[in-house]
Amino acid sequence: MNQLALVNHNGNMDNDMAPIAPAGGYDPKVTPMSIATISSGFEKGDFLVREEKGQRVYFDFFEEAFNYIAYKGYIRMSKEDEMEWMDTMNNVHASVKGGMKYNTGKLLMVLYRPIPEAQS
């Protein structure tokens, strides 16, 4: 059950920060998807949500950032898929000679949303 708040369906706090998609819950080779990330370490706001079409929204609190993106239908990837995306993004950033031009922050969470077939 996906929820906007950071509590489980019984109303109790969990150790995990967000609902997690089951491993194998989607197949990126078959299901088109959009990803979003939550990062920290910025001057404009402590947390940054990056989503489709390059939209960036800054927040002062993690809960606000998470609720914003969860309300749009994004859910957290499985731990394995999330780590693969994080490794990929870190390698891409590290490949830029002389370092990235802009502050990329610390990547905290990768979320996804399947794209309906009519839009893909």
Side-chain angles (χ1 to χ4, degrees):
M1 178 176 189
N2 296 328
Q3 303 169 36
L4 294 180
L6 299 176
V7 296
N8 65 23
H9 66 280
N10 295 322
N12 300 321
M13 294 298 290
D14 279 343
N15 289 333
D16 288 307
M17 292 191 290
I20 298 175
Y26 63 94
D27 183 352
K29 295 178 186 129
V30 177
T31 307
M33 66 177 176
S34 178
I35 67 165
T37 59
I38 300 176
S39 302
S40 65
F42 301 92
E43 290 182 24
K44 288 185 181 180
D46 291 331
F47 299 96
L48 169 63
V49 171
R50 288 186 182 98
E51 57 177 311
E52 61 189 333
K53 299 180 183 169
Q55 184 171 340
R56 296 180 305 271
V57 183
Y58 293 91
F59 297 91
D60 292 324
F61 299 98
F62 174 80
E63 296 85 353
E64 293 172 334
F66 177 80
N67 287 340
Y68 169 83
I69 204 66
Y71 183 75
K72 291 187 163 208
Y74 286 87
I75 57 175
R76 191 171 184 185
M77 292 183 170
S78 68
K79 291 281 188 191
E80 297 82 22
D81 291 334
E82 185 176 51
M83 288 309 302
E84 184 176 339
W85 274 102
M86 286 184 172
D87 289 344
T88 298
M89 286 187 243
N90 289 333
N91 289 333
V92 167
H93 293 162
S95 74
V96 176
K97 217 176 221 181
M100 295 289 291
K101 182 177 180 180
Y102 299 101
N103 177 12
T104 58
K106 176 169 175 42
L107 184 58
L108 301 175
M109 187 180 290
V110 183
L111 304 98
Y112 80 99
R113 176 177 70 186
I115 299 172
E117 290 196 31
Q119 291 181 6
S120 58

